[in-house]
Each structure stands twice: as structure tokens, then as C-alpha cells.
Amino acid sequence: MEHIPILKMGNLLLVTIQVDMHDRLAMTLQDDLTSRIVKDQANGVLIDISALDIVDSFIGRMISNTAAMARILDARTVLVGMQPAVAITLVELGLTLHGVQTALNVEKGIALLQRTAT
Amino acid sequence: MEHIPILKMGNLLLVTIQVDMHDRLAMTLQDDLTSRIVKDQANGVLIDISALDIVDSFIGRMISNTAAMARILDARTVLVGMQPAVAITLVELGLTLHGVQTALNVEKGIALLQRTAT
């Protein structure tokens, strides 16, 4: 598969990352997502990583960059579904997800975006 | 990745199929999904296939079977995001998705499930 699907739900876009990211796929996702934010006039992006067992510095940077791009386009990004082991690893490796909010799951992520939308 | 993530949104479960399905992954998905329907008391399942360029008889049967299992557990299944080429192929090959409703995208799928929930 060459594209990660981006699902529209109201003013939000939902991206579920299931496959191993590589350079090209990350760039495609950023292209697709920024286009969709503009096209769908989205004000929030949910990135679900519940399928990921590992978040390394490449994925971490990709998520931070994507969030930064979204923010310039006036959309906020919430990272949801992080596995406990991933949270442990992120802290132990000293990786920070700069500019990215997190929520336990999609429902809480939607609530977070809606609560702080105004 | 061994599991396809299942996202809970209210009473609905959302599954985004992005990777090529094979026997084992299909069985894992059916196990996971039926467990989650019971655990989360879901009454609807959305299966997004916008990332799939091809739906062959194996995938078609897998989707039909999954919908049948969900129905026994009192949850309805809506297939969303089908690409035009996939619709053409399904009809040309004479494949039917027995017992599965379809909707254009996630939003319309949610609306369909909510409209007919009562």
C-alpha cells in the first residue's frame, strides 16, 4: 500500500498508523494530510498509534513534524492509543514529542479537541 | 504488525484495513472484533477499505463472514470507503458482499448506523 488512509469525521481527520513507516511513506502521509486539512477545512488531527509496538526517533520526529505542519494550517494534533511499552521507551530514550498532545484513545482525543476548540 | 487496530467511537467500532489480508490476520481480526463487540457493547461496526486497491473473493468472504459474526452479536456492519475500481471489479467478477451494507465514507457510515439504530 502506498497511502495511509485519512478518515474525515466532522471537523477532524483520523489517521491510523498500522504499517512500518519509512521515509517515502512518511512524506506521502504528510503531503496527503496537509492537503486534506486544507480541502476538508479540518481543525483537528487524530493520529492513532495503537498498532505500533515501537516508536523510534524517526517515527517520533515524523509525528512532531506532521503536528507542526498541521499547526501552521490551524489544526491541532492529538496522538492517541499509545501502548504502555511505547510510553516507557519514549521516556527512557529521552524522546519528546514536541508540540503533540496525547490522549488515551480516540474517544478521549476527540473530547480533548472539542473541549479546547474554542 | 499482527493486529489490525479496532477503534471505539461511542457505540461503534472502526476498523481500517490497510495491509494485505492473509488467513491468519483475518482470523485474528475476527477474534479481536467479536471480543471487542462484546466487551464494548458495540452495536455497529465500520470497516474502512479506502486503502485497498483490490478486493478479491478471499477478502470479500472475510468481510461477509465478519459481518455475519457481528450480526449474531447484535451489531451491524457497514463497509465504507470503497474505491470506484473496487466496486467495478466486484460487480464484474459477480462477487456479492452478502449481509453487508455500504456507505461512501466513514461519516455517511456513522449516519447510516445511527439512523437505523432504533
Side-chain angles (χ1 to χ4, degrees):
Chain A
M1 306 296 159
E2 272 193 298
H3 289 267
I4 293 179
I6 297 169
L7 308 180
K8 181 172 183 289
M9 295 188 302
N11 292 328
L12 309 178
L13 298 176
L14 171 65
V15 182
T16 311
I17 298 179
Q18 296 179 19
V19 293
D20 289 326
M21 296 299 281
H22 47 79
D23 275 26
R24 198 178 181 78
L25 190 59
M27 278 181 57
T28 307
L29 176 61
Q30 289 172 345
D31 276 356
D32 290 349
L33 190 60
T34 44
S35 304
R36 286 290 297 274
I37 289 171
V38 173
K39 180 167 161 269
D40 295 337
Q41 304 191 17
N43 58 21
V45 176
L46 291 158
I47 301 180
D48 176 83
I49 57 165
S50 57
L52 298 187
D53 295 322
I54 298 167
V55 171
D56 57 15
S57 59
F58 172 73
I59 306 247
R61 199 167 51 245
M62 189 275 291
I63 291 171
S64 285
N65 287 351
T66 307
M69 294 169 196
R71 199 164 45 242
I72 299 175
L73 296 170
D74 202 23
R76 290 169 48 233
T77 302
V78 176
L79 192 66
V80 300
M82 188 184 292
Q83 291 187 22
V86 171
I88 292 169
T89 313
L90 282 180
V91 172
E92 284 184 347
L93 293 181
L95 295 177
T96 50
L97 297 168
H98 188 70
V100 183
Q101 287 181 289
T102 53
L104 191 63
N105 54 39
V106 172
E107 283 189 306
K108 288 181 198 287
I110 293 173
L112 175 64
L113 284 170
Q114 285 172 343
R115 196 167 60 236
T116 52
T118 47
Chain B
M1 306 296 159
E2 273 194 295
H3 288 266
I4 293 180
I6 298 169
L7 308 180
K8 181 173 183 289
M9 295 188 302
N11 292 328
L12 309 178
L13 297 177
L14 170 65
V15 182
T16 312
I17 297 179
Q18 297 178 18
V19 293
D20 289 326
M21 297 298 283
H22 47 80
D23 273 27
R24 197 176 181 79
L25 189 59
M27 278 182 57
T28 307
L29 176 61
Q30 289 171 344
D31 275 356
D32 290 350
L33 191 61
T34 45
S35 303
R36 286 289 297 274
I37 289 171
V38 173
K39 180 168 160 269
D40 294 336
Q41 304 192 19
N43 58 22
V45 176
L46 292 158
I47 301 179
D48 176 83
I49 57 166
S50 56
L52 298 187
D53 296 320
I54 297 167
V55 171
D56 57 14
S57 60
F58 172 72
I59 306 249
R61 198 166 54 244
M62 190 276 291
I63 291 170
S64 286
N65 287 350
T66 307
M69 293 169 196
R71 199 163 46 243
I72 299 175
L73 296 170
D74 202 22
R76 290 168 50 233
T77 302
V78 176
L79 193 66
V80 300
M82 189 183 290
Q83 291 186 22
V86 170
I88 293 170
T89 312
L90 283 180
V91 172
E92 284 184 344
L93 292 181
L95 295 177
T96 50
L97 296 169
H98 187 71
V100 183
Q101 287 182 286
T102 52
L104 191 62
N105 53 38
V106 172
E107 282 189 307
K108 287 182 199 285
I110 293 173
L112 175 64
L113 283 170
Q114 285 173 343
R115 196 166 61 237
T116 52
T118 47

